[in-house]
Amino acid sequence: MRPDHEIPQVLPRIALTGAALDELELLAGGLYAPANEYCLPGHVPDDWPVPFQLEIPSPIAAAALAGGTLTITDADGTPVFLVTATATAESGPGLAHIAGQISALRSPEHPPARHLRITSPLSPQAENALVAIFSSTPRAAELAQVITEATQSGRHVLLIAVCGPQPHGKYTVVPLLTELRAVAAQLPDAAVGLLVLPSLDGEAAHALYLHVLGNLGAASVLSFHAPRSAAAAPLSEARSEGSTTTDTLSGTVIFLTGLSGSGKSTVARALVENLQTCSSRPITLLDGDDVRRILSPGMGFSQEEREANIRRLGWVASLIAQAGGIVVCAPIAPYDKTRQEVRGMIEAVGRFVLVHISTPLDVCEARDRKGLYARARKGELKNFTGVDAPYEVPGDASLQLDTSITPLADAVDQILDYLNRGERSADRAKLSTPACPEALPAR
């Protein structure tokens, strides 16, 4: 893992999302060993489980080959991996495959349940575990088998939820994780993990799944996952018969605003995961970077362009709210005038909750995960909020949360408490989030 100040901040770079980023994370982590790089078609080593190939725009591939490296970013634009480019091959109009060794810059943060993610062989402390893997709610007979084998072997239990790609903001594996946490609470020294694979569909995907299990390094593995024709379907139903869902929030937009690095995205992701455990309503996450990349490609960062981007985000959120959904937004949104326009759009169809993530500028700049403040201070980025462009502090926020002093779990709880006060009577069950004692760190 290279120190942050060495992470390249210039092109060539490409953002990976979804299954492509899940695959890269396992490839770099060693769960696809002996494969540990990207190859070109026709140059696949015989001992690889499947070909691992990356197709990108030809100009980026050419620049990467000329410069020797390709930076891989996550959906937020944060550099997470480097590919040492050794060869390219045209694959179609404007596209090319690129080959090269992969090295990690920092751990990705895309949800869900990052603290539970398993992306590399188990640690020495976990090697002696009895690993039990589920893709749907555990049955009584399956749990009985796990408990019996754990008792006879004297091993502690690691319960792993396995799932396919988790679309941004729609984490269908969360109910299964909730079930496994409840089971783990009843077993001594039990733990829960999450394994996200690029696909669970079909025999080829199942063969790759078995390859990953072989690389985990566990003393014993019980797999209760079988290949399915539609992998995601059972995960959305992964609740026990006795569980209940609450469904009282509808037509609601929770709008988080704050400086870059304030913790908006982290709070938003944790909030979405929590809401999905207690509501059957559609939950949508609209993060600022994702919306800009998808809705406003090529748009710059002048005040006019920033306002246009936020209006587009507000319009999309209002459509979802009008249909009865819950939307969590996490843009910088520095201008009060535009925030008021978005409020007007939303309140015409539903409920608008403005949350100011008020983390101080010096803390945000110390974190600087993307290296943006450093570039702005050098003059490489213009109109950067907090450096040479203003942030207008909202005077009408429902909540103000400083993540430098407020632990993540507390921040989420405060938002949920506010929603409860407005949407539920006192005798209804309170939404809650699992304990997480750490405040967001300064980096």
Side-chain angles (χ1 to χ4, degrees), residues 45-383:
D46 293 337
D47 56 354
W48 282 20
V50 297
F52 294 101
Q53 297 167 353
L54 180 62
E55 189 178 53
I56 61 177
S58 295
I60 297 179
L65 186 61
T69 60
L70 172 69
T71 301
I72 305 291
T73 78
D74 61 13
D76 294 335
T78 300
V80 286
F81 295 100
L82 275 185
V83 177
T84 303
T86 56
T88 63
E90 293 296 319
S91 58
L95 295 172
H97 285 109
I98 188 166
Q101 290 278 342
I102 298 165
S103 57
L105 297 174
R106 56 157 54 96
S107 298
E109 295 188 1
H110 60 287
R114 287 307 312 182
H115 63 295
L116 299 179
R117 269 315 166 93
I118 297 172
T119 60
S120 59
L122 297 177
S123 66
Q125 294 82 359
E127 286 179 352
N128 194 42
L130 169 63
V131 172
I133 302 182
F134 300 89
S135 56
S136 57
T137 301
R139 299 172 181 173
E142 295 168 343
L143 292 178
Q145 182 180 351
V146 172
I147 294 170
T148 298
E149 293 204 16
T151 301
Q152 292 176 348
S153 65
R155 296 189 175 103
H156 63 276
V157 176
L158 174 58
L159 303 170
I160 298 180
V162 63
C163 66
Q166 298 288 283
H168 198 37
K170 299 185 183 298
Y171 312 124
T172 57
V173 76
V174 168
L176 176 56
L177 288 171
T178 302
E179 296 283 354
L180 295 184
R181 286 192 185 101
V183 172
Q186 306 303 316
L187 301 174
D189 299 322
V192 175
L194 173 62
L195 179 61
V196 181
L197 299 177
S199 174
L200 287 182
D201 299 340
E203 294 182 4
H206 190 64
L208 190 57
Y209 161 75
L210 295 178
H211 184 89
V212 168
L213 295 194
N215 281 332
L216 273 179
S220 180
V221 176
L222 294 175
S223 175
F224 299 105
H225 161 69
R228 302 175 185 269
S229 58
L235 297 181
S236 62
E237 303 164 3
R239 292 181 179 269
S240 64
E241 294 179 2
S243 66
T244 59
T245 58
T246 58
D247 192 12
T248 61
L249 298 177
S250 62
T252 299
V253 175
I254 303 106
F255 193 98
L256 283 66
T257 173
L259 296 170
S260 177
S262 62
K264 300 183 305 300
S265 295
T266 302
V267 173
R269 290 165 181 161
L271 177 62
V272 166
E273 286 194 44
N274 187 278
L275 289 170
Q276 287 191 331
T277 68
C278 59
S279 177
S280 60
R281 294 281 182 178
I283 313 291
T284 302
L285 175 62
L286 297 178
D287 203 351
D289 291 321
D290 288 345
V291 170
R292 174 174 282 275
R293 188 180 68 256
I294 296 169
L295 293 182
S296 306
M299 185 175 285
F301 291 89
S302 67
Q303 179 171 344
E304 294 75 15
E305 290 169 310
R306 286 172 177 266
E307 290 178 321
N309 182 57
I310 298 303
R311 288 190 195 98
R312 293 178 185 180
L313 181 150
W315 178 73
V316 171
S318 71
L319 294 179
I320 299 171
Q322 187 173 20
I326 303 172
V327 188
V328 179
C329 305
I332 293 175
Y335 300 111
D336 183 69
K337 174 177 176 292
T338 321
R339 294 194 298 261
Q340 294 302 326
E341 290 181 35
V342 171
R343 178 186 286 276
M345 292 183 207
I346 305 304
E347 291 185 341
V349 297
R351 184 184 183 200
F352 181 79
V353 177
L354 182 64
V355 180
H356 178 208
I357 306 299
S358 60
T359 309
L361 174 61
D362 60 337
V363 176
C364 297
E365 190 164 356
R367 290 172 178 168
D368 204 13
R369 290 180 56 245
K370 306 174 189 178
L372 299 179
Y373 283 100
R375 296 177 63 193
R377 295 295 183 190
K378 294 177 183 177
E380 298 175 5
L381 292 179
K382 302 297 183 182
N383 299 316

